[in-house]
Amino acid sequence: MTDPSTDTDVTLGEIERLVSGQHFNPHSILGAHPGPDGVVVRALRPLARSVTLILDDGRRVPMTHLYQGVFTVTLPELADEKVPGYRIATSYAEDGEDETVADDPYRFLPQLSDYDLYLIGEGRHEELWQVLGAHVREVDQVTGVSFAVWAPNARGVRVTGDFDFWDGRAFPMRSLGGTGVWELFVPGVTDGTRYKYAVCGFDGVWRDKADPLASYAERPPATASVVFTSRYSWDDASWMEARLSRTPVSEAMSIYEVHLGSWRPGLSYRELAVQLVDYVVDLGFTHVEFMPVAEHPFSGSWGYQVTGYYAPTSRFGDPDDFRYLIDALHQAGIGVLVDWVPAHFPRDDWALARFDGTALYEHPDPRRGSHPDWGTLIFNFGRTEVRNFLVANAVYWLEVFHVDGLRVDAVASMLYLDYSRKAGEWAPNQYGGRENLEAISFLQEANATCYKRVPGITMVAEESTAWPGVSRPVYLGGLGFGFKWNMGWMHDTLSYLSLDPIYRQYHHNEMTFSMVYAYTENFILPLSHDEVVHGKSSLLGKMPGDEWRRFAGVRSLLAYMWAHPGKQLLFMGGEFAQGSEWSDTKGLDWWVLDFDVHQGVQRMSRDLNAAYRRTPALWQLDTSPEGFRWIDANDAQGNVLSFLRFPASASEGSASGASGVIACIANFSATPHLEYRIGLPAAGRWREVINTDAAVYGGSGVGNLGGIDAVPEPWHGLEASAVISVPPLGVLWLTPEE
């Protein structure tokens, strides 16, 4: 061993930068380096009393403090040999009794390949989660965690956590060139370890940041990331194989929208895998849609302000517990959709906001990077690395967690530069228009990539304007979604039904207007969470009149919705006509099921789903005009709407083609229509499939004793007709007897 004064390969200025955390390549100083006088080994051990080099042959060589916590030793006898294997023993006590021995992080090569870095630089790494974030690996027979984070404008980045008592000085990371990625392999770190990145920003300010690609996080309000390796073994192979050939647009889709924290408060993912799965199977829904499960800071929210895009929230368990829930749903034959929020993110200083001291993930121009309504930041969709972060995130949920589709939140806010902005508060695009060209391109790329990589899934847009081609393929100039929420149908229908029946005749067009544009997009009809919160009241509360009329109104709404062209989505609680608005703390009002009227709505919801699933006419041709025909759209005075739904095998107007047809007659007046003649496509016996006024549903029992006989008397332009009784505030479904 030589005197440290002979260690002249490094200057005190370089050590100052290293110790201050602002050296781009700490590996050039720390670790083992062959030189003319032997192998020099340096280690950064702030506040250490003694540091000893332990060679593979067992020799212990004391290291000498060089400067500012950097210890050094030169091994002249190894001048002509390769760098030896070694470990470092450190003591922070005078007597050395607390000595710990560990492998040196600075003796390992980068764990990202040149190809990975190339793809990251190009913004085309579709499996970004495999290389960035924290991953337990075995490198040169040493187990540890490889940390990697994108922070191109940072002056320095350190990783800190349980393994260094959150001191933050001992583990500076190296920059991997122009990609902006910082990397370090830390031996000895294991699953369950909490960590963060200490980032010295371009502005010289240090910020402790959660890992943007962490797969697990501390339970809020704690904000650290957690090292996690999945050990889950899936049992949904048959579901996943069948998914490859699915075409959701022509299949049954009845969606139960769930906020996991308030469905039954206090349940874990694994408890939900029993209780929620049993409930959804019993009610007959084909899919569940989870409101955002990605980590978010405020438990009392819907979850749309995401801070951990790659981490299922730890409130209900770890990521494998979430896998267990999805697996259980798949094994029960239930598809899983998840809300995805690429439109904006919160300003929390420990998350994505100004990650490296600059507007990195957010757009630097506040006219494009700040959302005036929500107080959030907007992603810079024109930056390749940001697009890559989001596109890979979409793929991540579909592939890693076997999710069957993503519902993309707030698409309208992404498409328009002037969304919710006054004149002078927004900047036009390069052509002078209001369209956000970068966001459009991003959405097209995300959809095209997801459909390319994961056949059989579906991408759903919550888009509230008349933007053309939302659910048309990218190659046809569309945005590439599989479905679009029909916000117009939801608004018009709820507006109409909120009126006293005596006034509805003057608003009849609100109910028929949906069919004017029904085939311009592939629609999902939503009665979503947005309609039962913030003073909007529950579905039951929106209905006018006394208690009987309000419950009848909910039943007629659901039956009309299930028969209308388009898939269906119902927020939890609507299936049994919960009376109160949503509450994050008390959950659903399950106690109301002690009352017959609520049980009746729930029973009818179950029967609607059962009839829907076994009736192809209600879903095969949702997106084709051939699947629908008005019987009578003009009975405004009677508040009656009637129409036919056809399966793909039926041909309108022929007796043989009436097989499988559903006739829906909806009476939105408060009085029954007795002796009401209705046109039908074929004579013969027609069976009542659904009567929302049935006594078992809480109705008054007006109906047709289970069926009617159509005679060959033309009516409403159809070759047959029948005289029927239509119940008050009631909906009938009729189908020909086989």
Side-chain angles (χ1 to χ4, degrees):
M1 184 184 73
T2 60
D3 188 272
S5 63
T6 63
D7 188 355
T8 58
D9 291 339
V10 59
T11 67
L12 295 185
E14 283 187 289
I15 294 178
E16 290 277 8
R17 286 193 291 126
L18 171 72
V19 172
S20 69
Q22 299 185 48
H23 198 291
F24 280 83
N25 187 14
H27 292 69
S28 66
I29 299 174
L30 303 176
H33 301 272
D37 300 322
V39 173
V40 179
V41 182
R42 304 185 194 94
L44 176 61
R45 293 295 187 274
L47 305 179
R49 294 287 186 171
S50 64
V51 180
T52 304
L53 189 72
I54 303 178
L55 298 173
D56 280 352
D57 60 10
R59 284 185 295 158
R60 295 173 61 93
V61 184
M63 301 181 74
T64 304
H65 185 244
L66 179 61
Y67 184 64
Q68 294 276 29
V70 175
F71 290 77
T72 184
V73 64
T74 302
L75 305 174
E77 69 274 17
L78 299 177
D80 298 324
E81 299 181 22
K82 294 181 179 180
V83 173
Y86 65 90
R87 305 184 82 197
I88 296 175
T90 307
S91 175
Y92 295 90
E94 290 285 358
D95 56 13
E97 289 187 359
D98 67 338
E99 183 178 79
T100 59
V101 180
D103 286 283
D104 184 8
Y106 299 94
R107 56 172 281 217
F108 297 95
L109 294 172
Q111 298 306 300
L112 283 80
S113 70
D114 290 341
Y115 186 56
D116 288 323
L117 295 174
Y118 168 77
L119 291 176
I120 292 172
E122 291 290 305
R124 297 293 178 184
H125 205 306
E126 295 175 2
E127 297 180 355
L128 191 65
W129 68 89
Q130 301 277 24
V131 292
L132 298 186
H135 301 278
V136 176
R137 305 187 196 278
E138 184 175 302
V139 182
D140 297 337
Q141 298 182 326
V142 174
T143 300
V145 172
S146 172
F147 295 97
V149 63
W150 179 62
N153 302 304
R155 294 185 178 182
V157 181
R158 296 161 165 163
V159 62
T160 183
D162 294 332
F163 47 86
D164 68 346
F165 304 101
W166 296 94
D167 180 83
R169 290 176 289 175
F171 296 102
M173 304 174 75
R174 69 174 141 206
S175 172
L176 298 181
T179 60
V181 174
W182 298 74
E183 180 269 351
L184 185 66
F185 177 75
V186 183
V189 177
T190 59
D191 283 318
T193 302
R194 299 174 302 155
Y195 71 98
K196 279 189 176 182
Y197 297 115
V199 181
C200 182
F202 185 75
D203 53 4
V205 176
W206 282 96
R207 299 172 177 86
D208 285 345
K209 293 287 190 177
D211 188 348
L213 278 95
S215 60
Y216 191 29
E218 275 191 294
R219 182 166 182 164
T223 59
S225 302
V226 180
V227 178
F228 183 84
T229 302
S230 175
R231 293 173 174 81
Y232 190 77
S233 178
W234 291 89
D235 289 319
D236 65 346
S238 59
W239 174 275
M240 296 298 287
E241 183 179 357
R243 188 174 82 175
L244 295 172
S245 58
R246 287 205 175 99
T247 53
V249 73
S250 59
E251 297 179 0
M253 185 177 287
S254 170
I255 306 165
Y256 187 57
E257 187 186 25
V258 177
H259 180 259
L260 287 173
S262 59
W263 184 72
R264 285 179 180 160
L267 297 185
S268 68
Y269 287 128
R270 289 183 179 262
E271 290 168 330
L272 286 161
V274 176
Q275 297 186 35
L276 177 63
V277 171
D278 287 348
Y279 185 76
V280 173
V281 170
D282 178 56
L283 267 290
F285 289 94
T286 67
H287 291 71
V288 295
E289 179 179 315
F290 294 140
M291 297 173 71
V293 295
E295 196 60 85
H296 52 280
F298 180 42
S299 298
S301 72
W302 293 123
Y304 289 103
Q305 297 207 12
V306 176
T307 50
Y309 275 81
Y310 286 78
T313 180
S314 56
R315 292 171 175 86
F316 317 118
D318 64 35
D320 278 354
D321 294 330
F322 182 56
R323 287 177 171 89
Y324 183 86
L325 171 58
I326 296 176
D327 202 350
L329 285 161
H330 282 174
Q331 292 179 56
I334 307 298
V336 181
L337 308 178
V338 169
D339 281 10
W340 185 50
V341 194
H344 63 122
F345 60 94
R347 296 176 179 267
D348 299 76
D349 58 7
W350 49 268
L352 294 181
R354 296 193 68 81
F355 191 82
D356 62 0
T358 68
L360 185 63
Y361 286 91
E362 63 268 39
H363 199 287
D365 186 340
R367 295 173 297 178
R368 296 194 181 187
S370 178
H371 200 292
D373 286 348
W374 304 324
T376 51
L377 299 172
I378 299 172
F379 283 105
N380 185 355
F381 301 111
R383 184 161 190 166
T384 55
E385 299 93 340
V386 174
R387 290 164 65 113
N388 194 169
F389 172 81
L390 291 171
V391 171
N393 184 239
V395 174
Y396 173 79
W397 290 103
L398 297 169
E399 291 190 350
V400 173
F401 288 100
H402 291 197
V403 168
D404 302 298
L406 300 176
R407 176 265 193 184
V408 184
D409 181 64
V411 170
S413 73
M414 303 168 67
L415 295 175
Y416 299 97
L417 295 168
D418 63 346
Y419 184 88
S420 195
R421 288 176 170 82
K422 300 175 183 177
E425 295 179 347
W426 61 281
N429 62 35
Q430 65 197 69
Y431 303 109
R434 59 196 284 255
E435 300 81 10
N436 189 333
L437 303 179
E438 290 84 4
I440 294 167
S441 176
F442 157 71
L443 289 170
Q444 291 174 324
E445 179 184 348
N447 286 324
T449 302
C450 289
Y451 278 113
K452 174 193 70 175
R453 290 186 61 114
V454 198
I457 56 92
T458 189
M459 303 290 287
V460 182
E462 185 217 14
E463 202 283 311
S464 55
T465 73
W467 186 279
V470 171
S471 58
R472 293 296 175 263
V474 172
Y475 68 85
L476 293 178
L479 294 182
F481 287 95
F483 290 99
K484 171 181 171 174
W485 272 21
N486 194 336
M487 312 292 280
W489 174 89
M490 178 183 70
H491 176 271
D492 291 344
T493 302
L494 293 178
S495 173
Y496 174 87
L497 291 176
S498 68
L499 300 170
D500 189 279
I502 196 171
Y503 300 115
R504 289 175 181 173
Q505 60 183 308
Y506 306 110
H507 298 266
H508 194 73
N509 62 304
E510 292 182 17
M511 294 296 276
T512 59
F513 181 61
S514 63
M515 291 311 302
V516 173
Y517 60 88
Y519 305 110
T520 59
E521 301 280 0
N522 303 335
F523 281 122
I524 290 175
L525 311 179
L527 292 176
S528 72
H529 61 278
D530 279 328
E531 301 311 307
V532 295
V533 74
H534 304 319
K536 293 182 181 179
S537 189
S538 64
L539 291 181
L540 184 65
K542 296 178 193 295
M543 302 298 162
D546 58 21
E547 180 179 278
W548 188 92
R549 290 190 179 190
R550 289 190 294 119
F551 277 94
V554 172
R555 294 194 302 269
S556 63
L557 166 61
L558 296 181
Y560 174 74
M561 173 185 180
W562 255 247
H564 191 286
K567 314 306 181 184
Q568 299 82 36
L569 177 139
L570 182 64
F571 182 61
M572 62 185 197
E575 76 280 8
F576 58 79
Q578 172 165 310
S580 61
E581 282 189 350
W582 172 79
S583 167
D584 65 290
T585 54
K586 68 177 184 178
L588 297 184
D589 294 336
W590 294 105
W591 58 271
V592 302
L593 287 171
D594 291 337
F595 299 94
D596 291 342
V597 284
H598 291 281
Q599 289 180 23
V601 177
Q602 186 188 58
R603 187 176 296 114
M604 191 201 71
S605 297
R606 184 183 296 111
D607 290 349
L608 281 176
N609 276 325
Y612 171 79
R613 295 182 74 157
R614 66 174 180 260
T615 309
L618 295 175
W619 40 264
Q620 274 186 339
L621 298 176
D622 272 329
T623 61
S624 171
E626 296 177 356
F628 178 90
R629 183 198 190 280
W630 283 114
I631 297 174
D632 187 0
N634 300 311
D635 188 3
Q637 188 172 3
N639 293 349
V640 175
L641 292 164
S642 53
F643 55 85
L644 298 169
R645 296 296 308 278
F646 297 92
S649 59
S651 58
E652 177 190 329
S654 68
S656 61
S659 177
V661 172
I662 287 286
C664 176
I665 304 96
N667 174 21
F668 293 113
S669 72
T671 57
H673 293 307
L674 308 177
E675 304 291 320
Y676 191 88
R677 185 171 288 276
I678 193 80
L680 292 170
R685 184 71 175 170
W686 286 67
R687 175 173 52 88
E688 274 189 355
V689 179
I690 292 289
N691 179 349
T692 65
D693 197 47
V696 293
Y697 302 149
S700 61
V702 174
N704 301 277
L705 300 177
I708 55 97
D709 291 304
V711 297
E713 180 179 339
W715 201 259
H716 291 136
L718 295 165
E719 66 179 48
S721 62
V723 176
I724 64 175
S725 295
V726 189
L729 297 173
V731 174
L732 300 177
W733 290 6
L734 305 173
T735 192
E737 289 280 13
E738 293 296 333

